[in-house]
Amino acid sequence: MTAQRAVILESVAHAGGHRSAQQVYDDARRRLPGLNPATVYRTLETLHSAGLVDLYANGGHSLRFSLRDAEHPHAHLVCSSCGRELELDPRLVSSFGETVERRTGFRIDAHHLTLRGACSRCSSD
Amino acid sequence: MTAQRAVILESVAHAGGHRSAQQVYDDARRRLPGLNPATVYRTLETLHSAGLVDLYANGGHSLRFSLRDAEHPHAHLVCSSCGRELELDPRLVSSFGETVERRTGFRIDAHHLTLRGACSRCSSD
DNA sequence: GTTAGTGCAAACCTTTTGCAGCTAT
DNA sequence: ATAGCTGCAAAAGGTTTGCACTAAC
């Protein structure tokens, strides 16, 4: 565990996670000047393989990273129109996941669950 | 409606949809040599605005396109391990969607619903 | 001395943009 | 003439790779 990794992991943990690589990079570099983007990506990949960090795609333009929290899987609701992101009650996610598994045998990875649609503000327009 | 658009639309419709821009491009160019990637993207955007084509992000590395089928929204279950794709009973999707909307005000776009996880075969390993 | 991690720069892939030419009204 | 599409080439944004250097066991 190097200084870079510690700083990067802290940055991911920061703000409850859900940060883009760019955000992690900016944040980490503030505390560790000279840090390189490649290091950020490589480290995030390493942390992901180690099961410490989740990654998912929020809309095709960048990867997102968050601390893994095995006890509390959650879904992301991404508004296609304004880009706002909300989190969905984990219980809703798990009960849906259980229903799907019962019916199809398919086990949804709740850590990667990203649902697109329209948030309350945008759908009322 | 130009020749390019017809060919691109056909390519999207092909194989039940869910194709990357690259797949659409390769397929369309086979029938219309000289076709340009920029034209594919611009046309897909146009078709999307016209409500003929859906687009969504599948895994962060490329956009996916499919024919819009307003009558039969469906979710896709993509196995992260073997790549197999299953379709999910639309009724499960809509009831989940209704619950989410009741609780959060967020209206999930069922046309863009792609869930990753492990299929029955792979999760029993 | 071997292995793992880092910085740097360059490559890469997907997507977007500027511009000139063409086609059909 | 005008407006809309297209091809081309170049740019843009995000991510990955090759390579040499350093630090740690």
Side-chain angles (χ1 to χ4, degrees):
Chain A
M1 178 62 73
T2 65
Q4 284 85 345
R5 297 195 172 185
V7 167
I8 287 167
L9 187 52
E10 272 176 46
S11 292
V12 173
H14 203 229
H18 308 129
R19 330 197 73 191
S20 66
Q22 193 63 45
Q23 286 174 312
V24 171
Y25 173 57
D26 290 343
D27 193 58
R29 192 165 54 160
R30 217 171 296 125
R31 283 185 278 175
L32 198 68
L35 181 65
N36 198 276
T39 301
V40 172
Y41 283 103
R42 280 186 292 224
T43 298
L44 287 170
E45 169 56 29
T46 301
L47 295 173
H48 175 61
S49 303
L52 290 168
V53 160
D54 283 319
L55 84 160
Y56 63 97
N58 77 331
H61 286 301
S62 64
L63 297 174
R64 295 301 204 103
F65 302 87
S66 65
L67 261 197
R68 162 148 300 218
D69 184 350
E71 302 306 313
H72 301 288
H74 52 269
H76 306 275
L77 304 173
V78 181
C79 180
S80 300
S81 127
C82 70
R84 194 153 70 112
E85 290 195 28
L86 297 91
E87 251 185 56
L88 186 57
D89 183 344
R91 284 167 304 181
L92 276 184
V93 179
S94 25
S95 84
F96 176 61
E98 280 159 23
T99 305
V100 170
E101 185 167 359
R102 216 163 36 237
R103 293 280 211 94
T104 66
F106 190 96
R107 184 177 305 156
I108 291 173
D109 183 348
H111 291 96
H112 292 187
L113 208 54
T114 301
L115 308 173
R116 302 192 67 85
C119 72
S120 50
R121 261 186 278 175
C122 293
S123 67
S124 63
D125 295 345
Chain B
M1 178 62 75
T2 66
Q4 285 86 344
R5 298 195 171 185
V7 167
I8 288 167
L9 187 52
E10 272 175 45
S11 293
V12 173
H14 205 228
H18 305 122
R19 330 197 73 193
S20 67
Q22 193 63 46
Q23 286 175 311
V24 171
Y25 173 56
D26 291 342
D27 192 57
R29 191 164 55 161
R30 218 172 296 125
R31 283 184 279 174
L32 198 67
L35 180 66
N36 199 276
T39 301
V40 172
Y41 283 103
R42 280 186 293 223
T43 298
L44 287 170
E45 170 56 30
T46 302
L47 294 172
H48 176 61
S49 303
L52 290 168
V53 160
D54 283 320
L55 82 159
Y56 60 97
N58 194 25
H61 285 302
S62 63
L63 296 173
R64 295 296 207 101
F65 302 87
S66 66
L67 260 198
R68 161 147 301 213
D69 183 351
E71 301 306 313
H72 301 96
H74 51 272
H76 279 257
L77 303 173
V78 181
C79 179
S80 300
S81 131
C82 71
R84 193 152 70 113
E85 288 199 24
L86 297 89
E87 254 187 50
L88 185 58
D89 184 343
R91 284 168 305 180
L92 274 184
V93 179
S94 27
S95 85
F96 176 61
E98 280 159 23
T99 306
V100 170
E101 184 166 359
R102 213 161 39 236
R103 293 281 211 93
T104 67
F106 190 96
R107 184 176 307 156
I108 291 173
D109 184 346
H111 290 98
H112 293 188
L113 209 53
T114 300
L115 308 172
R116 303 192 68 87
C119 71
S120 51
R121 262 185 279 175
C122 293
S123 66
S124 63
D125 295 344

